[in-house]
Amino acid sequence: MRTIEAVQITEAIAKLAVDANYYLTSDVFDALVSGQEKEESPLGKDILGQIIKNACIARDEERPICQDTGMSVIFMEIGQDVHIIGGNLEDAVNAGVAKGYTEGYLRKSIVGEPMFDRVNTKNNTPAMLHVSIVPGDKIKIVFAPKGGGSENMSTLKMFKPSDGVEAVKKFVLDTITAAGSNPCPPIVIGIGVGGTMEKAAFLSKKALARPLTVRNSHPDYAALEQELLVLVNNSGIGPQGLGGRVTALAVNIEYYPTHIACMPVAININCHATRHAEIEL
């Protein structure tokens, strides 16, 4: 049994909050550069150039990539041979979020109650924490800030199995077309298929943290990812919704077993600043 102090988790979360908001990962940055090379619209090329320049300024001057520094979405894999001491896990996580967003001068965007009072919590807590128990004696943390504009474009539909893959393709394309410029394209599209309603939504968000260069290990889903990317980029929405060929940088699909009567599909869209950072303790 290996022990990890709760304060170690707090410090790790605080650093990840800043790193994710300041430094765009290389897979996303490279996809933007590649997208600019492929873009046929002069305006689209110029927009992508500005997005790339913005990411470089954020990295070099250690400033947030976007003013919307997002809700703190955290995926945590905890080894079953780990014992956390010195505090409660959720308290440690939220203390790290508060520390990172305060000391990193990141915008605090969370309201404590969603419908009536909507008073800002003033430290960007609570985080959306997703925990899974895995073999081993380590803790892996992925911190993925999620902006409100792209999150608002999320959709979920409970398909019948008989609807088939063509209905899913139409659902994805209709969702992206309806979203238009709202999620700040070029976007990354996360899709969750299977499980239950909430599992599909979880999978769609988790898909966004997968490197853009990695395709699904199942060949049929890998092929569908590529097909959907072509369909979306043929929509003409383009960078920032002003026309062009580069509407999306990638489509990532995650799937899970489901009931014989069900085929839930969730779509979670991320903007061109698809941010995440990770660490292993």
Side-chain angles (χ1 to χ4, degrees):
M1 181 68 70
R2 176 174 173 239
T3 59
I4 293 180
E5 294 275 355
V7 68
Q8 291 178 257
I9 296 172
T10 294
E11 292 300 323
I13 293 285
K15 184 177 187 303
L16 289 174
V18 174
D19 287 353
N21 276 292
Y22 286 6
Y23 313 121
L24 203 58
T25 53
S26 59
D27 61 319
V28 179
F29 185 85
D30 291 346
L32 288 167
V33 172
S34 177
Q36 187 187 32
E37 293 171 353
K38 295 174 184 175
E39 181 55 70
E40 297 170 1
S41 161
L43 178 58
K45 274 187 177 293
D46 182 62
I47 291 169
L48 286 164
Q50 292 180 48
I51 289 171
I52 293 165
K53 182 179 180 181
N54 178 74
C56 292
I57 292 171
R59 177 196 63 208
D60 296 341
E61 299 186 9
E62 298 189 328
R63 300 184 181 189
I65 298 166
C66 177
Q67 51 83 25
D68 184 352
T69 51
M71 194 163 200
S72 303
V73 179
I74 297 168
F75 301 98
M76 188 176 293
E77 295 180 356
I78 302 178
Q80 62 186 8
D81 297 322
V82 170
H83 179 48
I84 298 169
I85 61 173
N88 172 273
L89 174 61
E90 288 198 29
D91 290 345
V93 166
N94 285 321
V97 170
K99 179 180 172 67
Y101 273 75
T102 300
E103 295 180 359
Y105 300 100
L106 305 175
R107 194 183 82 181
K108 291 81 174 175
S109 304
I110 306 307
V111 295
E113 184 280 313
M115 187 171 290
F116 298 104
D117 296 329
R118 293 186 64 87
V119 176
N120 197 299
T121 63
K122 299 182 180 180
N123 59 11
N124 223 59
T125 65
M128 297 295 100
L129 177 61
H130 304 285
V131 176
S132 57
I133 305 300
V134 299
D137 63 355
K138 294 179 172 58
I139 297 178
K140 179 182 177 181
I141 306 170
V142 177
F143 192 107
K146 191 65 168 64
S150 60
E151 186 70 4
N152 282 343
M153 299 299 105
S154 305
T155 54
L156 182 144
K157 187 168 183 177
M158 304 301 290
F159 285 96
K160 299 185 293 295
S162 59
D163 291 329
V165 69
E166 292 303 319
V168 173
K169 293 178 192 176
K170 183 178 184 303
F171 175 51
V172 173
L173 198 57
D174 287 349
T175 295
I176 303 308
T177 301
S181 64
N182 290 299
C184 295
I187 56 177
V188 176
I189 304 167
I191 301 175
V193 181
T196 52
M197 178 190 71
E198 77 278 8
K199 183 69 172 183
F202 165 78
L203 291 172
S204 70
K205 176 136 307 106
K206 189 175 182 182
L208 293 172
R210 192 212 302 165
L212 306 191
T213 55
V214 177
R215 301 276 52 82
N216 193 292
S217 59
H218 190 299
D220 291 337
Y221 285 99
L224 183 57
E225 289 173 339
Q226 294 295 91
E227 183 179 356
L228 285 170
L229 181 61
V230 172
L231 289 172
V232 168
N233 283 336
N234 284 339
S235 68
I237 294 169
Q240 294 299 299
L242 296 175
R245 301 283 291 178
V246 184
T247 300
L249 302 176
V251 177
N252 287 356
I253 303 174
E254 297 294 335
Y255 70 94
Y256 197 80
T258 192
H259 190 279
I260 56 173
C262 300
M263 193 173 70
V265 177
I267 302 171
N268 199 218
I269 303 172
N270 220 336
C271 66
H272 63 265
T274 299
R275 299 160 290 181
H276 50 274
E278 63 181 72
I279 193 172
E280 187 173 81
L281 300 179

